[in-house]
Amino acid sequence: MAEKRYRIGDFAKLVGLSTYTLRYYEDQGLIVAQRDENGVRFYTEEDIRWVGFILHLKGTGMRLNELKRYVKLRAMGDTTITERREMLQKVRDNAEADIAELQMHLQVLGHKIDWYDGKVDHTIADSESFHDYLQRFNASIVKSSATLRIYS
């Protein structure tokens, strides 16, 4: 049974990218389109999975130069597994740090919303500043008194 082939327009729809982006990825060496007997580019199911993985890597914040390096290492085969694993671990560590920072910012934002609600429904004294309000929640959510001034 012949493997299903997708022309660039159909492939673009399947993976959620534009044909322009696919061509750019090709130019950057991230993907390699195959060509039929007439020179028309096509993609396969394996390409769908590969582009999906590339999009996951991009979604974690992996930069283009890192993606290119990963692709080159992948093409070299299993002898580069350790190096690729180290790259992915670094990307994962960075993404987890970004998530933790974003969660801290969301927590402060939530406290600010609660503080406004308390001001509106008069459960927080008019004289209580946001800084003082945060102190009730143990200012560990904010790293320094300088940062607390930012949220006043």
Side-chain angles (χ1 to χ4, degrees), residues 107 111 114 132-141:
Q107 188 177 22
H111 285 309
D114 293 343
D132 293 338
Y133 179 76
L134 280 181
Q135 292 300 313
R136 286 200 260 153
F137 296 98
N138 187 358
S140 64
I141 61 168

Side-chain angles (χ1 to χ4, degrees), residues 116-130:
Y116 283 139
D117 289 345
K119 291 290 188 169
V120 169
D121 68 16
H122 303 290
T123 57
I124 295 175
D126 289 341
S127 61
E128 185 173 17
S129 69
F130 183 59

Side-chain angles (χ1 to χ4, degrees), residues 85-130:
R85 188 207 175 282
E86 288 171 1
M87 283 185 73
L88 295 181
Q89 184 65 53
K90 181 180 174 188
V91 169
R92 179 175 155 177
D93 292 346
N94 290 340
E96 287 174 347
D98 290 345
I99 290 168
E101 183 176 350
L102 185 57
Q103 287 174 329
M104 185 271 303
H105 292 309
L106 287 172
Q107 188 177 22
V108 170
L109 184 63
H111 285 309
K112 187 73 166 190
I113 291 168
D114 293 343
W115 181 75
Y116 283 139
D117 289 345
K119 291 290 188 169
V120 169
D121 68 16
H122 303 290
T123 57
I124 295 175
D126 289 341
S127 61
E128 185 173 17
S129 69
F130 183 59

Side-chain angles (χ1 to χ4, degrees), residues 42-106:
F42 71 89
Y43 302 90
T44 65
E45 294 289 327
E46 185 178 331
D47 295 317
I48 293 171
R49 291 186 294 274
W50 176 240
V51 169
F53 186 65
I54 288 173
L55 294 176
H56 283 296
L57 292 177
K58 283 184 53 94
T60 62
M62 187 180 245
R63 296 184 309 264
L64 181 61
N65 64 334
E66 293 171 314
L67 279 166
K68 289 166 122 177
R69 183 167 170 255
Y70 183 88
V71 170
K72 285 180 185 176
L73 290 170
R74 178 179 179 256
M76 295 169 72
D78 288 352
T79 60
T80 65
I81 285 176
T82 300
E83 194 170 353
R84 284 183 278 157
R85 188 207 175 282
E86 288 171 1
M87 283 185 73
L88 295 181
Q89 184 65 53
K90 181 180 174 188
V91 169
R92 179 175 155 177
D93 292 346
N94 290 340
E96 287 174 347
D98 290 345
I99 290 168
E101 183 176 350
L102 185 57
Q103 287 174 329
M104 185 271 303
H105 292 309
L106 287 172

Side-chain angles (χ1 to χ4, degrees), residues 137-151:
F137 296 98
N138 187 358
S140 64
I141 61 168
V142 183
K143 295 180 181 169
S144 71
S145 61
T147 305
L148 281 173
R149 282 192 294 276
I150 293 171
Y151 295 115

